[in-house]
């Protein structure tokens, strides 16, 4: 089982978008049984809140449901449980290190590091450009699956 946790600041925009996009991609490939996929926040600000309405609409327009998802904060147990902790930007990385300490097991990465164009995934909460974030998440999730395939983890 490949256990993946996506992380952003509030767990209402980018990380749940990545969670549900990756779930869709692995289901379409018949690989859902190989994965456990979730998302969490580095902050406590949005705990208990649903996915941000513009993100929920964008997911729904693409045939993806995020019903029932509520923001939660990452805990130290998550680091032990998940194989991959994938952050959306460098601020998330800094906050993860503050929450967890050093990444001794080399589990933490940035989503866009799995692509040919490493960078932060812009936060649509601030940019209001949800489509750009959608494209980054698509590209990042595809790159992550390519990485897993290249490393013979999709069996």
């Amino acid at each position: 089982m490949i256990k993946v946790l996506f992380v952003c600041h509030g767990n209402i925009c980018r990380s749940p978008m990545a969670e549900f996009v990756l779930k869709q991609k692995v289901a379409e490939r018949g690989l859902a049984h190989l994965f456990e996929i979730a998302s969490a926040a580095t902050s406590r600000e949005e705990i208990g809140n649903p996915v941000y309405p513009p993100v929920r609409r964008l997911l729904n327009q693409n045939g993806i449901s995020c019903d029932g998802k509520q923001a939660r904060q990452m805990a130290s147990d998550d680091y032990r449980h998940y194989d991959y902790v994938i952050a959306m930007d460098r601020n998330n990385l800094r906050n993860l290190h503050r929450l967890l300490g050093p990444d001794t097991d080399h589990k933490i990465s940035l989503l866009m590091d799995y692509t040919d164009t490493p960078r932060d995934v812009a936060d649509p909460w601030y940019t209001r450009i949800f489509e750009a974030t959608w494209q980054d998440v698509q590209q990042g999730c595809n790159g992550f699956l390519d990485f897993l395939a290249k490393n013979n983890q999709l069996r």
Side-chain angles (χ1 to χ4, degrees), residues 41-109:
T42 59
S43 75
R44 300 182 52 79
E45 296 166 21
E46 299 289 347
I47 291 175
N49 287 336
V51 174
Y52 192 51
V55 173
R56 192 170 48 245
R57 280 191 297 276
L58 186 57
L59 289 169
N60 286 335
Q61 289 167 1
N62 287 278
I64 302 172
S65 172
C66 61
D67 290 348
K69 172 66 182 171
Q70 292 184 328
R72 71 171 188 88
Q73 185 178 31
M74 182 171 181
S76 57
D77 286 345
D78 288 327
Y79 184 80
R80 286 188 287 279
H81 180 77
Y82 289 95
D83 304 311
Y84 296 92
V85 178
I86 303 175
M88 298 296 120
D89 65 35
R90 284 181 210 69
N91 288 332
N92 304 147
L93 285 180
R94 186 174 47 256
N95 291 337
L96 281 169
H97 291 297
R98 201 172 314 138
L99 282 168
L100 304 171
D103 181 19
T104 55
D105 295 331
H106 309 287
K107 295 180 174 190
I108 299 174
S109 60

Side-chain angles (χ1 to χ4, degrees), residues 4-5 8 21 28 31 35 41 49 65-66 73 91 96 126 138 141 147 151:
V4 182
L5 182 69
C8 69
V21 164
E28 289 172 350
L31 302 172
F35 286 86
N49 287 336
S65 172
C66 61
Q73 185 178 31
N91 288 332
L96 281 169
Y126 299 106
Q138 292 289 325
C141 286
F147 165 83
N151 289 286

